[in-house]
Amino acid sequence: MNGSGTAPAVPRPAYRRLSVEQRRSQLLGAALGLFAQRAPEDVSLDDVATAAEVSRPLVYRYFPGGKQQLYEAALRSAAEDLERCFAEPQSGPLTQRLSRALDRYLTFVDGHDTGFSALLQGGSVVATSRTSAIVDQVRRAAAEQILRHLGEPEPGPRLRTAVRMWITAVEGASLIWLDGGKQPPLDELRDGLVDHFIALLAATAARDAQTARVTRAALALETPDGPVGDLVRRLLPVVRDASHLL
Amino acid sequence: MNGSGTAPAVPRPAYRRLSVEQRRSQLLGAALGLFAQRAPEDVSLDDVATAAEVSRPLVYRYFPGGKQQLYEAALRSAAEDLERCFAEPQSGPLTQRLSRALDRYLTFVDGHDTGFSALLQGGSVVATSRTSAIVDQVRRAAAEQILRHLGEPEPGPRLRTAVRMWITAVEGASLIWLDGGKQPPLDELRDGLVDHFIALLAATAARDAQTARVTRAALALETPDGPVGDLVRRLLPVVRDASHLL
């Protein structure tokens, strides 16, 4: 589009020199890019070769097990990225830490889109007990991170269940969000999920002494301008007329 | 084990006379009984014949598509049973209706055990986009029922998402419950899920005018001895020290 004449073509080397690890990671990156846009069964090794601008034999050399091997390797790589999202220093109000980790998680969901939905909605031809195990491991890692932040060295079943239920609900909300054209905006979804965490923790605290202890300790670190203060102030007018329940 | 001698064998007719529908339903019942105890891939048509005490050719006549057809038919039948669990008259406090429906749902989960886990955990060889669609339909039906009980003719996205998130969390909690040897007892799990619903609705009400309206109307129907009054009274000591947030 820049007027007359043709710019001299700059010759591009057929292959950049990459180490085995770098090449593998490049191919997985290309595969994840494709999985983000199409169902896993619609991504072939040839598509990956095209996307990564490498030869087909090269891709087949790295993934001799074909599509299934590629899918599982891409999933493993995505799972590692995802587990890194959860890492967060143990300081400051809990809701701030949760909010930051959720931001990274939702950005991941946003970027992986179709692949994320296909993986979690099930029914995919590439889903196996191995792929389920990888996903379960991510869920477990997320739960362990949260429990570590709650500072309870030996979390009991009620606290564990509350945390795992929230993780399940976050997954569900992510799928609904993707399905609904990514509305509301990511930060609104994130804030709603933080509120949901507070609410679930409080509901569990009402019946479980350990969760009550953890919740009290977490509330002590919160600030009035943070999400808990905001939630409580917004909630007061809703429950104002419910004094007959006390 | 009843001492000496042999009781004369009572001849049992090889086949009871059943209509096509009755026979089909008998075979599906036998299949669901097997799926409740074993992974779907470990249930063969021969096993169904043995369990239903009919001949193998009979089972093959009803399910010429083999194992996959049997599995999908059993799933459809289970889905219908499940949707019936959700039906509940529109009167009385909302938490009472929810509690009754949850009771039926959890009794279903209890009775279908392994089949329920295998279905929702994914990675099963019999999972297809059709089986996912059946499960999704059940989730949608559950959400519609709850929204109907909330009495909002045109539920907006935030209220819808809250309800769907709760359904996802209930599913997650059911799987955790089965995985953990059905502890805590069913009624304790049920009460916790009702509390979770109240908490999630309240958290959503804090940010959404429609949900706030629905929540206020629901609270007005609750009684002091019901789950909301109980939850609020148990929660007060937990939040007592958090006045710095107001």
Side-chain angles (χ1 to χ4, degrees), chain B residues 37-79:
Chain B
Q37 296 155 36
R38 297 185 220 159
E41 48 271 36
D42 297 334
V43 175
S44 69
L45 264 64
D46 289 8
D47 296 333
V48 174
T50 307
E53 302 185 324
V54 300
S55 73
R56 290 165 52 180
L58 181 75
V59 181
Y60 282 86
R61 198 152 72 235
Y62 274 79
F63 303 102
K67 203 170 182 158
Q68 187 68 33
Q69 193 195 359
L70 171 76
Y71 182 72
E72 289 185 20
L75 179 57
R76 248 181 227 107
S77 152

Side-chain angles (χ1 to χ4, degrees), chain A residues 142-166:
Chain A
E144 290 310 317
Q145 272 289 347
I146 294 173
L147 290 168
R148 213 166 302 144
H149 281 274
L150 288 171
E152 190 60 47
E154 289 185 22
R158 288 198 182 103
L159 183 55
R160 281 193 170 277
T161 297
V163 168
R164 289 174 67 184
M165 274 177 75
W166 182 73

Side-chain angles (χ1 to χ4, degrees), chain A residues 158 165 188 195-196 207, chain B residues 158 165 188 195-196 207:
Chain A
R158 288 198 182 103
M165 274 177 75
E188 200 184 307
D195 283 356
H196 181 199
R207 289 184 184 275
Chain B
R158 286 198 184 101
M165 273 177 75
E188 197 183 311
D195 282 356
H196 181 199
R207 292 186 181 274

Side-chain angles (χ1 to χ4, degrees), chain A residues 95-236:
Chain A
T95 53
Q96 237 172 53
R97 307 182 215 169
L98 197 59
S99 188
R100 277 194 296 256
L102 264 177
D103 239 346
R104 291 188 292 266
Y105 169 79
L106 293 173
T107 304
F108 176 96
V109 171
D110 189 13
H112 291 79
D113 213 319
T114 309
F116 183 87
S117 299
L119 178 64
L120 295 178
Q121 265 160 357
S124 161
V125 290
V126 288
T128 64
S129 55
R130 270 196 308 277
T131 62
S132 298
I134 297 171
V135 176
D136 267 346
Q137 167 51 28
V138 174
R139 288 183 187 127
R140 258 195 302 277
E144 290 310 317
Q145 272 289 347
I146 294 173
L147 290 168
R148 213 166 302 144
H149 281 274
L150 288 171
E152 190 60 47
E154 289 185 22
R158 288 198 182 103
L159 183 55
R160 281 193 170 277
T161 297
V163 168
R164 289 174 67 184
M165 274 177 75
W166 182 73
I167 289 168
T168 310
V170 168
E171 251 178 50
S174 304
L175 290 173
I176 294 168
W177 185 65
L178 289 176
D179 195 43
K182 303 186 181 176
Q183 280 304 315
L186 193 148
D187 54 345
E188 200 184 307
L189 174 64
R190 178 203 58 209
D191 292 347
L193 291 172
V194 171
D195 283 356
H196 181 199
F197 183 81
I198 303 166
L200 180 55
L201 199 66
T204 309
R207 289 184 184 275
D208 180 50
Q210 185 184 51
T211 309
R213 198 165 58 235
V214 162
T215 305
R216 258 191 235 105
L219 288 177
L221 292 177
E222 295 291 322
T223 56
D225 58 338
V228 185
D230 196 33
L231 178 63
V232 173
R233 283 190 303 272
R234 286 167 185 268
L235 203 50
L236 288 177

Side-chain angles (χ1 to χ4, degrees), chain B residues 166-184:
Chain B
W166 182 73
I167 289 168
T168 309
V170 168
E171 250 177 51
S174 305
L175 289 174
I176 294 169
W177 185 65
L178 289 177
D179 195 42
K182 303 187 181 174
Q183 281 304 316

Side-chain angles (χ1 to χ4, degrees), chain A residues 205 209 211-224 228-229 232, chain B residues 232-246:
Chain A
T211 309
R213 198 165 58 235
V214 162
T215 305
R216 258 191 235 105
L219 288 177
L221 292 177
E222 295 291 322
T223 56
V228 185
V232 173
Chain B
V232 173
R233 282 191 302 272
R234 286 166 185 266
L235 203 49
L236 288 178
V238 180
V239 297
R240 191 165 288 153
D241 303 331
S243 56
H244 66 287
L245 297 178
L246 290 177

Side-chain angles (χ1 to χ4, degrees), chain B residues 14 65 86 119 126 130 163 180 221 228 234:
Chain B
F86 306 145
L119 179 64
V126 288
R130 271 195 309 276
V163 169
L221 292 177
V228 184
R234 286 166 185 266

